[in-house]
Amino acid sequence: MKCKRKMAARSGRPEHRGPPELFYNEAEAKKYSQSSRIIEIQMQMSERAIELLALPEDQPSFILDIGCGSGLSGEALSEAGHCWVGVDISQHMLNVALSREVEGDTILHDMGQGLPFRPGSFDAAVSVSALQWLCNADKKEHHPHKRLYKFFTSLFACLVHGGKAVFQFYPENPQQMELITQQAMKAGFTGGVVIDYPNSTKAKKMFLCLFSGGAPKQLPKGLGTEEKQSSSSASFVQARREFRKQGKTRIAPKSREWILAKKERRKKQGKRVVHDSKYTGRRRSSKF
């Protein structure tokens, strides 16, 4: 037992260090609002997952964010003009999301117990760095294959017919990859795994792309699979990276420009917004 604990402690995989509701404590959760490196990586993966969803650009969609954490993936959804609801097992991560004033609604919930939503509630679903947690048995009553199947069946039910789901995940080995894909297909999904930059150690990312019914759909191509990347997806990612490099030009949170942009997004989503005035975004003087 001692050897196993030492090996788990040395491992770089978070799921080896304990259940997610304990691993993502207050100190760990703060990193997702304070570490520029973590925020950058999470936003890049979120934007790529949204790109793989290939949602209609001319209308907002209602998206389920699974393992929403601090709301970084939700922020990417909001910037793309979509409405979303997020679920996460860590209260500390959800507290960070609330402090960041995310636009979506958040729910404290264990996805391994199934998703508590009505059939056909969502147009699509997205998830970043969460799915692999279901492959671990953190409690005696946890059986990975049963939890995965319950999760995927409930997800299949709460998506509209022809809906899509994209999971960025980190399978530990081929056995985990097979377990996850088998349970997804057993639940009724079609699709497969898209791998970006398969020959790179650092840039390699895996995305499970699932389709719930409808006409057969072609699986998107991974980035870096050809020497010449002429696809629109490659140019999209490159453009986003260039934009991120210009981080200094990004609108500062809580500034007047940030507030006006947020209000504009909410107007497009059909939500009620207070009229602008000369006082919009103005800093209040400190009280004596």
Side-chain angles (χ1 to χ4, degrees):
M1 286 294 293
K2 288 183 179 180
C3 291
K4 288 183 178 179
R5 287 176 182 173
K6 286 182 180 179
M7 290 177 66
R10 291 174 184 173
S11 172
R13 299 186 67 89
E15 60 267 26
H16 288 176
R17 303 180 188 180
E21 63 269 30
L22 297 181
F23 175 79
Y24 290 105
N25 53 28
E26 186 175 1
E28 189 69 24
K30 284 183 178 179
K31 296 178 183 178
Y32 287 78
S33 63
Q34 298 175 352
S35 172
S36 59
R37 179 176 177 274
I38 290 178
I39 293 173
E40 176 75 13
I41 293 172
Q42 289 290 312
M43 288 297 289
Q44 285 182 0
M45 293 190 297
S46 300
E47 289 163 356
R48 174 58 174 153
I50 296 169
E51 178 194 359
L52 290 171
L53 281 177
L55 298 169
E57 296 182 1
D58 57 342
Q59 62 183 23
S61 298
F62 191 36
I63 314 296
L64 175 61
D65 186 356
I66 304 163
C68 63
S70 62
L72 290 171
S73 48
E75 183 179 330
L77 287 168
S78 295
E79 288 181 356
H82 303 298
C83 303
W84 60 277
V85 170
V87 296
D88 201 276
I89 198 172
S90 169
Q91 183 62 63
H92 293 294
M93 292 293 277
L94 294 180
N95 289 342
V96 173
L98 290 174
S99 68
R100 297 180 64 250
E101 299 183 3
V102 296
E103 295 182 29
D105 296 320
T106 58
I107 301 171
L108 180 66
H109 184 71
D110 176 11
M111 62 181 180
Q113 295 179 357
L115 299 169
F117 302 106
R118 293 180 179 179
S121 296
F122 299 97
D123 300 311
V126 69
S127 179
V128 176
S129 307
L131 187 58
Q132 68 274 3
W133 285 94
L134 290 181
C135 295
N136 280 27
D138 297 314
K139 300 177 182 178
K140 288 184 179 180
E141 64 270 21
H142 284 185
H143 302 283
H145 67 284
K146 291 183 179 180
R147 282 168 60 78
L148 280 164
Y149 180 67
K150 190 167 186 177
F151 165 68
F152 281 123
T153 52
S154 62
L155 176 61
F156 189 90
C158 70
L159 288 176
V160 297
H161 184 68
K164 305 173 186 177
V166 174
F167 298 82
Q168 183 279 321
F169 70 127
Y170 296 102
E172 185 175 3
N173 47 49
Q175 289 75 27
Q176 275 195 7
M177 173 89 78
E178 185 177 0
L179 174 64
I180 290 171
T181 53
Q182 279 184 350
Q183 298 307 312
M185 303 308 157
K186 185 179 176 182
F189 284 104
T190 58
V193 176
V194 174
I195 303 177
D196 284 353
Y197 307 106
N199 299 319
S200 172
T201 304
K202 293 184 178 180
K204 182 179 180 181
K205 292 291 181 293
M206 295 187 181
F207 298 86
L208 178 63
C209 300
L210 301 177
F211 312 111
S212 61
K217 299 179 180 64
Q218 187 175 3
L219 206 62
K221 290 185 178 180
L223 302 179
T225 55
E226 299 177 359
E227 291 184 4
K228 294 183 179 180
Q229 298 179 25
S230 58
S231 65
S232 59
S233 58
S235 59
F236 173 87
V237 171
Q238 184 62 31
R240 291 301 301 181
R241 285 180 178 173
E242 291 298 326
F243 176 76
R244 293 293 176 191
K245 287 179 182 179
Q246 301 171 2
K248 294 181 180 179
T249 62
R250 187 166 180 151
I251 301 174
K254 306 298 177 66
S255 65
R256 178 178 172 83
E257 292 77 12
W258 183 86
I259 292 172
L260 291 175
K262 183 175 180 179
K263 291 174 74 174
E264 187 63 30
R265 287 198 301 270
R266 294 179 73 86
K267 285 180 183 177
K268 291 180 179 178
Q269 294 168 1
K271 296 182 179 180
R272 188 176 179 180
V273 178
V274 178
H275 293 296
D276 297 334
S277 72
K278 64 180 181 179
Y279 301 105
T280 300
R282 178 177 292 184
R283 290 183 176 273
R284 295 185 179 182
S285 59
S286 59
K287 296 182 180 180
F288 291 99

